[in-house]
Coordinates of all heavy atoms in Angstrom, one line a residue:
M1 N 32.3 151.2 86.8 CA 31.0 151.4 87.4 C 31.1 152.7 88.2 O 32.1 153.1 88.8 CB 30.8 150.2 88.4 CG 29.5 150.4 89.2 SD 29.2 149.1 90.4 CE 28.6 147.9 89.4
I2 N 30.0 153.4 88.3 CA 29.9 154.6 89.1 C 28.7 154.5 90.0 O 27.7 153.9 89.7 CB 29.7 155.9 88.2 CG1 29.8 157.1 89.0 CG2 28.5 155.8 87.4 CD1 29.9 158.4 88.2
C3 N 28.9 155.0 91.2 CA 27.8 154.9 92.2 C 27.4 156.4 92.6 O 28.3 157.1 93.0 CB 28.3 154.2 93.4 SG 27.0 154.0 94.7
I4 N 26.2 156.7 92.5 CA 25.7 158.1 92.8 C 24.7 157.9 94.0 O 23.7 157.2 93.8 CB 25.1 158.8 91.6 CG1 26.2 158.9 90.5 CG2 24.6 160.2 92.1 CD1 25.6 159.5 89.3
L5 N 25.0 158.6 95.1 CA 24.1 158.5 96.2 C 23.5 159.9 96.5 O 24.2 160.9 96.4 CB 24.9 158.1 97.5 CG 25.6 156.7 97.4 CD1 26.4 156.5 98.6 CD2 24.5 155.6 97.2
P6 N 22.2 160.0 96.9 CA 21.6 161.3 97.2 C 22.1 161.7 98.5 O 22.5 161.0 99.4 CB 20.1 161.0 97.2 CG 20.0 159.5 97.5 CD 21.3 158.9 96.9
Y7 N 22.1 163.1 98.7 CA 22.5 163.7 100.0 C 21.7 165.0 100.2 O 21.2 165.5 99.2 CB 24.0 163.9 100.1 CG 24.5 164.8 99.0 CD1 24.5 166.2 99.1 CD2 24.9 164.3 97.8 CE1 25.0 167.0 98.1 CE2 25.4 165.1 96.8 CZ 25.5 166.4 96.9 OH 25.9 167.2 95.9
D8 N 21.5 165.4 101.4 CA 20.7 166.6 101.7 C 21.5 167.9 101.8 O 21.0 168.9 101.5 CB 19.9 166.4 103.0 CG 18.8 165.3 102.9 OD1 18.2 165.2 101.8 OD2 18.6 164.6 103.9
N9 N 22.8 167.8 102.1 CA 23.6 169.0 102.2 C 25.1 168.6 102.1 O 25.4 167.4 102.0 CB 23.4 169.7 103.6 CG 23.6 168.8 104.8 OD1 24.7 168.2 104.9 ND2 22.6 168.7 105.6
E10 N 25.9 169.6 102.0 CA 27.4 169.3 101.7 C 28.0 168.5 102.8 O 28.8 167.6 102.6 CB 28.1 170.7 101.6 CG 29.5 170.6 101.2 CD 30.1 171.9 101.0 OE1 29.8 172.6 100.0 OE2 30.9 172.4 101.8
E11 N 27.7 168.8 104.1 CA 28.3 168.0 105.2 C 27.9 166.5 105.1 O 28.8 165.7 105.3 CB 27.8 168.6 106.5 CG 28.4 169.9 106.9 CD 29.9 170.0 106.9 OE1 30.5 169.0 107.5 OE2 30.5 170.9 106.3
E12 N 26.7 166.2 104.7 CA 26.3 164.8 104.5 C 27.0 164.2 103.4 O 27.5 163.1 103.4 CB 24.8 164.7 104.3 CG 24.4 163.3 104.3 CD 22.9 163.1 104.0 OE1 22.2 164.1 103.6 OE2 22.4 161.9 104.2
A13 N 27.2 165.0 102.3 CA 27.9 164.4 101.1 C 29.4 164.1 101.5 O 29.9 163.0 101.1 CB 27.9 165.5 100.0
I14 N 30.0 164.9 102.2 CA 31.4 164.7 102.7 C 31.4 163.5 103.6 O 32.3 162.6 103.5 CB 32.0 165.9 103.3 CG1 32.2 167.0 102.2 CG2 33.3 165.6 104.0 CD1 32.5 168.4 102.8
R15 N 30.5 163.4 104.5 CA 30.4 162.2 105.4 C 30.2 160.9 104.7 O 30.9 159.9 104.9 CB 29.3 162.4 106.4 CG 29.2 161.3 107.5 CD 28.0 161.3 108.3 NE 26.7 161.3 107.6 CZ 26.2 160.3 107.0 NH1 26.9 159.1 107.0 NH2 25.1 160.3 106.3
I16 N 29.3 160.9 103.7 CA 29.1 159.7 102.9 C 30.3 159.3 102.1 O 30.7 158.2 102.0 CB 27.9 160.0 101.9 CG1 26.6 160.0 102.7 CG2 27.9 158.8 100.8 CD1 25.4 160.5 101.8
A17 N 31.0 160.3 101.5 CA 32.2 160.1 100.7 C 33.3 159.5 101.6 O 34.0 158.6 101.1 CB 32.7 161.4 100.1
N18 N 33.4 159.9 102.8 CA 34.5 159.4 103.7 C 34.1 158.1 104.5 O 35.0 157.5 105.1 CB 34.9 160.5 104.7 CG 35.6 161.6 104.0 OD1 36.3 161.4 103.0 ND2 35.6 162.8 104.6
D19 N 32.8 157.8 104.4 CA 32.3 156.6 105.2 C 32.5 155.3 104.4 O 31.5 154.7 104.0 CB 30.9 156.8 105.6 CG 30.4 155.7 106.5 OD1 31.2 155.1 107.2 OD2 29.1 155.5 106.5
T20 N 33.7 155.0 104.2 CA 34.1 153.7 103.4 C 35.4 153.3 103.9 O 36.2 154.0 104.4 CB 34.0 154.0 101.9 OG1 34.4 152.8 101.3 CG2 35.0 155.1 101.5
E21 N 35.7 152.0 103.7 CA 37.0 151.5 104.1 C 38.0 151.7 102.9 O 39.1 151.3 103.0 CB 36.9 150.0 104.4 CG 36.4 149.1 103.3 CD 36.2 147.7 103.8 OE1 35.1 147.4 104.4 OE2 37.1 146.9 103.6
Y22 N 37.5 152.2 101.8 CA 38.4 152.5 100.7 C 38.6 154.0 100.5 O 37.9 154.8 101.0 CB 37.7 151.9 99.4 CG 37.6 150.4 99.5 CD1 36.3 149.9 99.8 CD2 38.6 149.5 99.5 CE1 36.1 148.5 100.0 CE2 38.5 148.2 99.6 CZ 37.2 147.7 99.9 OH 37.1 146.3 100.1
G23 N 39.5 154.4 99.6 CA 39.8 155.8 99.4 C 40.8 156.0 98.2 O 41.8 156.6 98.4
L24 N 40.4 155.4 97.1 CA 41.4 155.5 95.9 C 41.2 156.9 95.2 O 42.2 157.6 95.0 CB 41.2 154.4 95.0 CG 42.2 154.3 93.8 CD1 43.6 154.2 94.4 CD2 41.9 153.2 92.9
S25 N 40.0 157.2 94.8 CA 39.8 158.4 94.0 C 38.4 159.0 94.3 O 37.5 158.3 94.6 CB 39.9 158.0 92.5 OG 40.0 159.2 91.7
G26 N 38.3 160.3 94.1 CA 37.0 161.0 94.3 C 36.8 162.0 93.2 O 37.7 162.2 92.4
Y27 N 35.7 162.7 93.3 CA 35.3 163.7 92.2 C 34.5 164.8 92.9 O 33.6 164.5 93.7 CB 34.5 163.1 91.1 CG 34.3 164.0 90.0 CD1 35.2 164.0 88.9 CD2 33.2 164.9 89.9 CE1 35.0 164.8 87.8 CE2 33.0 165.7 88.9 CZ 33.9 165.7 87.8 OH 33.7 166.5 86.7
V28 N 34.9 166.0 92.6 CA 34.1 167.2 93.1 C 33.8 168.1 91.9 O 34.7 168.4 91.1 CB 34.9 168.0 94.1 CG1 34.1 169.2 94.5 CG2 35.2 167.1 95.3
A29 N 32.5 168.5 91.7 CA 32.1 169.4 90.7 C 31.5 170.6 91.3 O 30.6 170.5 92.2 CB 31.1 168.7 89.7
S30 N 31.9 171.8 90.8 CA 31.3 173.0 91.4 C 31.7 174.2 90.4 O 32.7 174.1 89.7 CB 32.0 173.4 92.7 OG 31.6 174.6 93.2
K31 N 30.8 175.1 90.3 CA 31.0 176.3 89.5 C 32.1 177.2 90.2 O 32.7 178.0 89.5 CB 29.8 177.1 89.3 CG 28.7 176.5 88.5 CD 27.5 177.3 88.3 CE 26.5 176.6 87.5 NZ 25.2 177.3 87.3
D32 N 32.3 177.0 91.5 CA 33.2 177.8 92.3 C 34.4 177.0 92.6 O 34.4 176.1 93.5 CB 32.5 178.3 93.6 CG 33.4 179.1 94.5 OD1 34.6 179.1 94.3 OD2 32.8 179.7 95.4
Q33 N 35.5 177.2 91.9 CA 36.7 176.4 92.0 C 37.3 176.4 93.4 O 37.8 175.4 94.0 CB 37.8 176.7 91.0 CG 39.0 175.7 91.1 CD 39.9 175.8 89.9 OE1 39.6 176.4 88.9 NE2 41.1 175.2 90.0
A34 N 37.3 177.6 94.1 CA 37.8 177.7 95.4 C 37.0 176.8 96.4 O 37.5 176.2 97.3 CB 37.8 179.2 95.9
H35 N 35.7 176.8 96.2 CA 34.8 176.0 97.0 C 35.1 174.5 96.8 O 35.2 173.7 97.7 CB 33.4 176.3 96.8 CG 32.4 175.6 97.6 ND1 31.3 174.9 97.1 CD2 32.4 175.3 98.9 CE1 30.7 174.3 98.0 NE2 31.3 174.5 99.2
A36 N 35.3 174.1 95.5 CA 35.6 172.7 95.2 C 36.9 172.3 95.8 O 37.0 171.2 96.3 CB 35.7 172.6 93.7
L37 N 37.9 173.2 95.9 CA 39.1 172.8 96.5 C 39.0 172.6 98.0 O 39.6 171.7 98.6 CB 40.2 173.9 96.2 CG 40.7 173.9 94.8 CD1 41.5 175.2 94.6 CD2 41.6 172.7 94.5
R38 N 38.1 173.5 98.6 CA 37.9 173.3 100.1 C 37.2 172.0 100.4 O 37.5 171.3 101.3 CB 37.0 174.5 100.6 CG 37.8 175.8 100.7 CD 37.1 176.8 101.5 NE 35.7 177.1 101.0 CZ 35.5 178.1 100.0 NH1 36.5 178.7 99.5 NH2 34.3 178.3 99.6
V39 N 36.2 171.6 99.5 CA 35.6 170.3 99.7 C 36.6 169.2 99.5 O 36.6 168.2 100.2 CB 34.3 170.2 98.8 CG1 33.8 168.8 98.8 CG2 33.3 171.2 99.2
A40 N 37.3 169.3 98.4 CA 38.3 168.2 98.0 C 39.3 168.0 99.2 O 39.7 166.8 99.4 CB 39.0 168.6 96.8
A41 N 39.7 169.0 99.8 CA 40.6 168.9 100.9 C 40.1 168.1 102.1 O 40.8 167.6 102.9 CB 41.1 170.3 101.4
R42 N 38.8 168.0 102.2 CA 38.1 167.3 103.3 C 37.9 165.8 103.0 O 37.4 165.0 103.8 CB 36.8 168.0 103.7 CG 37.1 169.4 104.2 CD 35.9 170.1 104.6 NE 35.2 169.4 105.6 CZ 33.9 169.6 106.0 NH1 33.2 170.5 105.3 NH2 33.3 168.9 106.9
L43 N 38.1 165.4 101.7 CA 37.9 164.0 101.3 C 39.1 163.2 101.6 O 40.2 163.6 101.3 CB 37.5 163.9 99.8 CG 36.3 164.7 99.4 CD1 36.1 164.5 97.9 CD2 35.1 164.3 100.2
R44 N 38.9 162.0 102.2 CA 40.0 161.1 102.6 C 40.2 160.1 101.4 O 39.7 159.0 101.5 CB 39.7 160.4 103.9 CG 39.6 161.3 105.1 CD 40.8 162.1 105.4 NE 40.7 163.4 104.7 CZ 41.7 164.2 104.4 NH1 43.0 163.9 104.7 NH2 41.6 165.3 103.8
T45 N 40.8 160.6 100.4 CA 41.0 159.8 99.2 C 42.3 160.2 98.5 O 42.9 161.3 98.7 CB 39.8 160.1 98.1 OG1 40.0 159.2 97.0 CG2 39.8 161.5 97.7
G46 N 42.9 159.2 97.8 CA 44.2 159.4 97.3 C 44.3 160.5 96.2 O 45.3 161.1 95.9
N47 N 43.2 160.6 95.4 CA 43.1 161.5 94.3 C 41.7 162.1 94.2 O 40.8 161.4 94.5 CB 43.4 160.7 93.0 CG 43.6 161.5 91.8 OD1 43.9 162.7 91.9 ND2 43.5 160.9 90.6
V48 N 41.6 163.4 93.9 CA 40.3 164.0 93.8 C 40.4 164.8 92.4 O 41.2 165.6 92.2 CB 40.0 165.0 94.9 CG1 38.6 165.7 94.7 CG2 40.0 164.3 96.2
H49 N 39.4 164.4 91.6 CA 39.3 165.1 90.3 C 38.4 166.3 90.5 O 37.3 166.2 91.1 CB 38.7 164.2 89.2 CG 39.6 163.0 88.9 ND1 40.6 163.0 88.0 CD2 39.6 161.8 89.5 CE1 41.2 161.8 88.0 NE2 40.6 161.1 88.9
L50 N 38.7 167.5 90.0 CA 37.9 168.7 90.1 C 37.4 169.0 88.7 O 38.2 169.2 87.8 CB 38.7 169.8 90.7 CG 39.2 169.7 92.0 CD1 40.0 170.9 92.4 CD2 38.2 169.4 93.1
N51 N 36.1 169.1 88.6 CA 35.4 169.6 87.4 C 36.0 168.9 86.1 O 36.2 169.6 85.1 CB 35.5 171.1 87.3 CG 34.8 171.8 88.4 OD1 33.8 171.3 88.9 ND2 35.3 172.9 88.8
G52 N 36.1 167.6 86.1 CA 36.6 166.9 84.9 C 38.0 166.8 84.7 O 38.5 166.3 83.6
A53 N 38.9 167.3 85.6 CA 40.3 167.3 85.4 C 40.8 165.9 85.4 O 40.3 165.1 86.2 CB 41.0 168.1 86.5
G54 N 41.7 165.5 84.5 CA 42.3 164.2 84.5 C 43.4 164.1 85.4 O 43.8 165.0 86.2
P55 N 44.0 162.9 85.5 CA 45.2 162.6 86.4 C 46.4 163.4 86.0 O 46.6 163.7 84.8 CB 45.4 161.1 86.3 CG 44.9 160.8 84.9 CD 43.7 161.7 84.7
D56 N 47.3 163.7 86.9 CA 48.6 164.3 86.7 C 49.6 163.2 86.9 O 49.9 162.9 88.0 CB 48.8 165.5 87.6 CG 50.1 166.2 87.5 OD1 51.0 165.7 86.7 OD2 50.4 167.2 88.1
F57 N 50.1 162.7 85.8 CA 51.0 161.6 85.8 C 52.4 162.0 86.4 O 53.2 161.1 86.7 CB 51.2 160.9 84.5 CG 49.9 160.2 84.0 CD1 49.1 160.8 83.1 CD2 49.5 159.1 84.7 CE1 47.9 160.2 82.7 CE2 48.3 158.5 84.3 CZ 47.5 159.0 83.3
A58 N 52.6 163.2 86.6 CA 53.9 163.7 87.2 C 53.8 163.7 88.7 O 54.8 163.9 89.4 CB 54.3 165.0 86.7
A59 N 52.6 163.6 89.3 CA 52.4 163.7 90.7 C 52.3 162.3 91.3 O 51.7 161.4 90.8 CB 51.1 164.5 91.0
P60 N 52.8 162.2 92.5 CA 52.7 160.9 93.2 C 51.2 160.6 93.5 O 50.4 161.5 93.6 CB 53.4 161.1 94.6 CG 54.3 162.3 94.3 CD 53.6 163.1 93.3
F61 N 50.9 159.3 93.5 CA 49.5 158.9 93.6 C 49.4 157.6 94.4 O 50.2 156.7 94.3 CB 48.8 158.7 92.3 CG 47.4 158.1 92.4 CD1 46.4 158.9 92.7 CD2 47.2 156.8 92.1 CE1 45.1 158.4 92.9 CE2 45.9 156.2 92.3 CZ 44.9 157.0 92.6
G62 N 48.4 157.5 95.3 CA 48.2 156.3 96.1 C 46.9 156.5 96.8 O 46.4 157.6 96.9
G63 N 46.3 155.5 97.3 CA 45.0 155.6 98.0 C 45.2 155.7 99.5 O 46.2 155.6 100.1
Y64 N 44.0 155.8 100.1 CA 43.9 155.8 101.6 C 43.2 154.5 102.0 O 42.6 153.8 101.2 CB 43.0 157.0 102.1 CG 43.7 158.3 102.2 CD1 43.8 159.1 101.1 CD2 44.3 158.7 103.4 CE1 44.4 160.4 101.2 CE2 45.0 159.9 103.5 CZ 45.0 160.7 102.4 OH 45.6 161.9 102.5
K65 N 43.4 154.2 103.2 CA 42.7 153.0 103.9 C 43.0 151.8 103.1 O 44.2 151.5 102.8 CB 41.2 153.3 104.0 CG 40.8 154.6 104.7 CD 39.4 154.9 104.6 CE 39.0 156.3 104.9 NZ 37.6 156.6 104.7
Q66 N 42.0 151.0 102.7 CA 42.2 149.7 102.0 C 42.5 149.9 100.5 O 42.6 148.9 99.8 CB 41.0 148.8 102.2 CG 40.7 148.4 103.6 CD 41.8 147.5 104.2 OE1 42.3 146.6 103.5 NE2 42.2 147.8 105.4
S67 N 42.6 151.1 100.1 CA 42.9 151.3 98.7 C 44.4 151.4 98.4 O 44.8 151.9 97.4 CB 42.2 152.6 98.2 OG 40.8 152.3 98.0
G68 N 45.2 151.0 99.4 CA 46.7 151.0 99.1 C 47.4 151.9 100.2 O 46.8 152.7 100.9
N69 N 48.7 151.7 100.2 CA 49.4 152.5 101.1 C 50.7 152.9 100.3 O 51.1 152.2 99.4 CB 49.8 151.9 102.4 CG 50.8 150.8 102.4 OD1 51.9 151.0 101.8 ND2 50.5 149.6 102.9
G70 N 51.2 154.0 100.7 CA 52.4 154.5 99.9 C 51.9 155.3 98.7 O 50.7 155.6 98.5
R71 N 52.9 155.8 97.9 CA 52.6 156.6 96.7 C 53.3 156.0 95.6 O 54.4 155.5 95.7 CB 53.0 158.0 97.0 CG 52.2 158.7 98.1 CD 50.8 159.0 97.6 NE 50.1 159.7 98.6 CZ 49.0 159.1 99.3 NH1 48.7 157.9 99.0 NH2 48.4 159.8 100.1
E72 N 52.7 156.1 94.4 CA 53.3 155.7 93.1 C 53.3 156.8 92.2 O 52.6 157.8 92.4 CB 52.5 154.5 92.6 CG 52.5 153.3 93.5 CD 51.6 152.1 93.0 OE1 51.2 152.2 91.9 OE2 51.5 151.2 93.8
W73 N 53.9 156.6 91.0 CA 54.0 157.6 90.0 C 54.8 158.8 90.4 O 55.3 158.9 91.5 CB 52.7 158.1 89.5 CG 51.7 157.2 88.9 CD1 52.0 155.9 88.4 CD2 50.4 157.4 88.6 NE1 50.9 155.3 87.9 CE2 49.9 156.2 88.0 CE3 49.5 158.4 88.8 CZ2 48.6 156.0 87.6 CZ3 48.2 158.2 88.4 CH2 47.7 157.1 87.8
G74 N 55.1 159.7 89.5 CA 55.8 161.0 89.8 C 57.2 160.9 90.1 O 57.7 159.8 90.5
D75 N 57.9 161.9 89.8 CA 59.4 162.0 90.0 C 59.8 161.8 91.5 O 60.7 161.1 91.8 CB 59.9 163.3 89.6 CG 59.9 163.5 88.0 OD1 59.8 162.4 87.4 OD2 59.9 164.6 87.6
H76 N 59.0 162.4 92.4 CA 59.3 162.3 93.8 C 59.2 160.9 94.3 O 60.1 160.4 95.0 CB 58.4 163.2 94.7 CG 58.7 163.1 96.1 ND1 59.8 163.7 96.7 CD2 58.0 162.5 97.1 CE1 59.8 163.4 98.0 NE2 58.7 162.7 98.3
A77 N 58.2 160.2 93.9 CA 58.0 158.8 94.3 C 59.1 157.9 93.7 O 59.6 157.0 94.4 CB 56.6 158.3 93.8
S78 N 59.6 158.2 92.5 CA 60.6 157.4 91.9 C 61.9 157.6 92.7 O 62.7 156.7 92.9 CB 60.8 157.8 90.4 OG 59.7 157.5 89.7
R79 N 62.2 158.8 93.0 CA 63.5 159.1 93.7 C 63.4 158.5 95.1 O 64.4 158.0 95.6 CB 63.7 160.6 93.8 CG 64.2 161.2 92.5 CD 64.7 162.7 92.7 NE 63.6 163.5 93.2 CZ 62.8 164.3 92.5 NH1 63.0 164.3 91.2 NH2 61.9 165.0 93.0
S80 N 62.2 158.7 95.8 CA 62.1 158.2 97.2 C 62.2 156.7 97.2 O 62.8 156.1 98.1 CB 60.7 158.5 97.7 OG 60.6 159.9 97.8
S81 N 61.7 155.9 96.2 CA 61.8 154.5 96.3 C 63.1 153.9 96.0 O 63.4 152.8 96.2 CB 60.7 153.9 95.3 OG 61.0 154.3 94.0
S82 N 64.0 154.8 95.4 CA 65.3 154.3 95.0 C 66.4 154.4 96.1 O 67.5 154.0 96.0 CB 65.8 155.0 93.7 OG 66.0 156.4 94.0
R83 N 65.9 155.0 97.3 CA 66.8 155.2 98.4 C 67.0 153.9 99.2 O 66.2 153.1 99.3 CB 66.3 156.3 99.3 CG 66.4 157.6 98.6 CD 65.9 158.7 99.6 NE 65.8 159.9 98.8 CZ 65.2 161.0 99.2 NH1 64.7 161.1 100.4 NH2 65.2 162.1 98.5

């Protein structure tokens, strides 16, 4: 399921995105990749897809808030959990 909410400006879009008790994954679409990265950095979510990019299974992953704690996947997570 996908939920799309209207917003009036970028600040409101970021506020809406962060105004939840969950934070597993998000998505940012922009013609300007540098701008998309700046917006993505402000989202409180475990993963942010930019312009259709898929997951990186080599990178640790986990959510924020009620979407989990800690990190899974990735070489670093595997080495860290074995200590």
Side-chain angles (χ1 to χ4, degrees):
M1 175 186 281
I2 186 169
C3 180
I4 300 174
L5 302 173
Y7 57 90
D8 291 323
N9 56 53
E10 185 175 289
E11 291 302 314
E12 183 182 15
I14 292 167
R15 183 188 56 74
I16 291 169
N18 289 333
D19 185 25
T20 177
E21 62 187 84
Y22 301 101
L24 186 61
S25 191
Y27 187 93
V28 176
S30 175
K31 292 180 181 179
D32 180 344
Q33 185 164 345
H35 182 228
L37 288 168
R38 287 192 301 274
V39 171
R42 297 179 61 196
L43 300 181
R44 299 299 93 201
T45 183
N47 191 16
V48 180
H49 299 274
L50 299 178
N51 296 329
D56 179 353
F57 292 106
F61 173 76
Y64 278 90
K65 307 174 196 174
Q66 296 296 315
S67 289
N69 74 52
R71 296 288 181 249
E72 300 175 6
W73 297 347
D75 292 338
H76 179 74
S78 297
R79 285 191 299 264
S80 296
S81 64
S82 64
R83 292 181 189 171

